[in-house]
Amino acid sequence: LDAGFVYEGEENPEILPTGEKRTGDWPENGPDCTDVLTTTGFTSVVAKDCQYPVHNPTASKKVIAVGYSHMKIWSAPIVEIAKKENWDLQVITRGWCPFGDPASANQSSAARNESENCNTVDREWNDYIKEQSPDLVIMPATFMDFDGSDKYTDAIKTRIQELTSEGIDVVGIRGTPRFPQSHRACMESGKSAEACTFKLEKFNSTNPLDQLEDEISGFGTIDLMDQICPNHSCPPIIGNVYTYFDGMHLTATYARSMEDTFDERLEAALERAER
């Protein structure tokens, strides 16, 4: 997607990810948070959800990435950035449990939200994060609908204000699209990649989180929609990488391929947050 890029690889490269990962390409984030949880007393809910991919006692920055399943996908480039930037990084995620506004999951799956006890999860995550006192929290901050429309909720705004008032910088990632049908199912029905490029009818190029940057000191936002759905169209393949593995989740392979762009935009978001 970079202007001026010249491909110099194989003539017909294999499309990644392959095999079983094509239907479930999640990041593998390494050890859980058992050691730190044992010393802090948070051993129930957080123990199920917390991974510690970059444990660094002499870190330049202590970071917690937290949220529902989309945050787990975004952890793929964040882990690589953490290693490069000498961060300490914990990743806390659970499907269908948006950090800061568990009720927003009700709109999509009340039964699933109830079974996962997202309200309890959210409270314990929040208590744990405050106890850890990180320098930075990274979280998904909008929830994008099937048509591409998205917004932040009052509860998300309140949570961001709560964290920044504690001296914690927050970077909110704009949500990514969900689709009623997966690209894979579309292509397996015999359609071409072009025919399985999904349009976002109500997508707004302006990131709704930009407004919060103006209102909240300590908050910055990242928008990567131009890397996922250029010109408001979401293709199943970019380069030689599948973009999604189901109707809701980017492949970790594609998310990881955005590392340089994610890093640049994260750095810019932090500069705006700390202004």
Side-chain angles (χ1 to χ4, degrees):
L1 294 175
D2 290 340
F5 174 77
V6 178
Y7 177 70
E8 298 179 347
E10 300 176 20
E11 184 174 346
N12 295 299
E14 186 175 35
I15 301 173
L16 304 173
T18 60
E20 291 183 2
K21 283 204 167 186
R22 175 70 182 99
T23 58
D25 186 20
W26 295 98
E28 297 175 3
N29 285 334
D32 61 26
C33 303
T34 300
D35 289 346
V36 67
L37 292 171
T38 300
T39 61
T40 60
F42 288 88
T43 56
S44 55
V45 171
V46 178
K48 177 178 179 180
D49 306 322
C50 187
Q51 293 178 295
Y52 213 154
V54 185
H55 189 189
N56 187 350
T58 60
S60 63
K61 194 185 291 285
K62 186 174 183 177
V63 182
I64 295 179
V66 58
Y68 62 108
S69 56
H70 287 199
M71 186 69 256
K72 188 173 180 98
I73 294 297
W74 285 124
S75 70
I78 292 170
V79 166
E80 300 308 313
I81 293 167
K83 293 174 182 176
K84 181 173 63 178
E85 297 293 339
N86 194 37
W87 290 354
D88 180 270
L89 174 67
Q90 297 179 57
V91 178
I92 306 173
T93 60
R94 186 182 295 201
W96 294 97
C97 289
F99 179 59
D101 188 8
S104 64
N106 285 336
Q107 299 170 11
S108 299
S109 178
R112 209 173 288 197
N113 186 55
E114 182 179 351
S115 68
E116 293 285 18
N117 297 312
C118 285
N119 289 307
T120 301
V121 167
D122 184 72
R123 285 193 297 272
E124 186 149 347
W125 283 358
N126 196 39
D127 289 345
Y128 177 71
I129 288 169
K130 288 182 178 179
E131 191 278 335
Q132 287 290 289
S133 190
D135 301 295
L136 171 64
V137 166
I138 305 174
M139 58 184 281
T142 71
F143 199 72
M144 190 168 290
D145 227 325
F146 295 127
D147 58 9
S149 61
D150 69 327
K151 62 181 181 180
Y152 62 84
T153 64
D154 289 341
I156 291 288
K157 179 179 179 180
T158 298
R159 178 58 54 80
I160 292 168
Q161 290 173 319
E162 185 181 331
L163 291 170
T164 55
S165 71
E166 299 270 346
I168 301 169
D169 287 337
V170 178
V171 168
I173 305 174
R174 187 180 191 179
T176 51
R178 302 171 300 132
F179 307 111
Q181 181 188 32
S182 70
H183 287 118
R184 180 172 56 85
C186 181
M187 292 181 70
E188 287 178 354
S189 72
K191 294 181 180 178
S192 66
E194 183 177 357
C196 294
T197 296
F198 302 146
K199 309 290 184 181
L200 298 176
E201 302 297 336
K202 295 186 178 181
F203 178 72
N204 189 331
S205 297
T206 301
N207 179 0
L209 295 168
D210 289 347
Q211 179 181 349
L212 291 188
E213 277 196 352
D214 296 333
E215 295 181 20
I216 305 174
S217 176
F219 175 73
T221 180
I222 299 176
D223 183 355
L224 288 145
M225 280 298 296
D226 62 319
Q227 302 294 301
I228 301 163
C229 300
N231 302 313
H232 303 189
S233 297
C234 308
I237 302 167
I238 294 179
N240 70 315
V241 181
Y242 290 113
T243 53
Y244 278 72
F245 68 76
D246 61 15
M248 297 189 180
H249 300 98
L250 294 170
T251 63
T253 304
Y254 190 67
R256 198 174 290 111
S257 77
M258 289 187 277
E259 178 189 334
D260 290 345
T261 301
F262 194 107
D263 193 8
E264 289 172 7
R265 296 186 188 182
L266 176 59
E267 184 176 348
L270 285 170
E271 288 178 359
R272 294 192 300 272
E274 295 168 357
R275 68 191 180 282

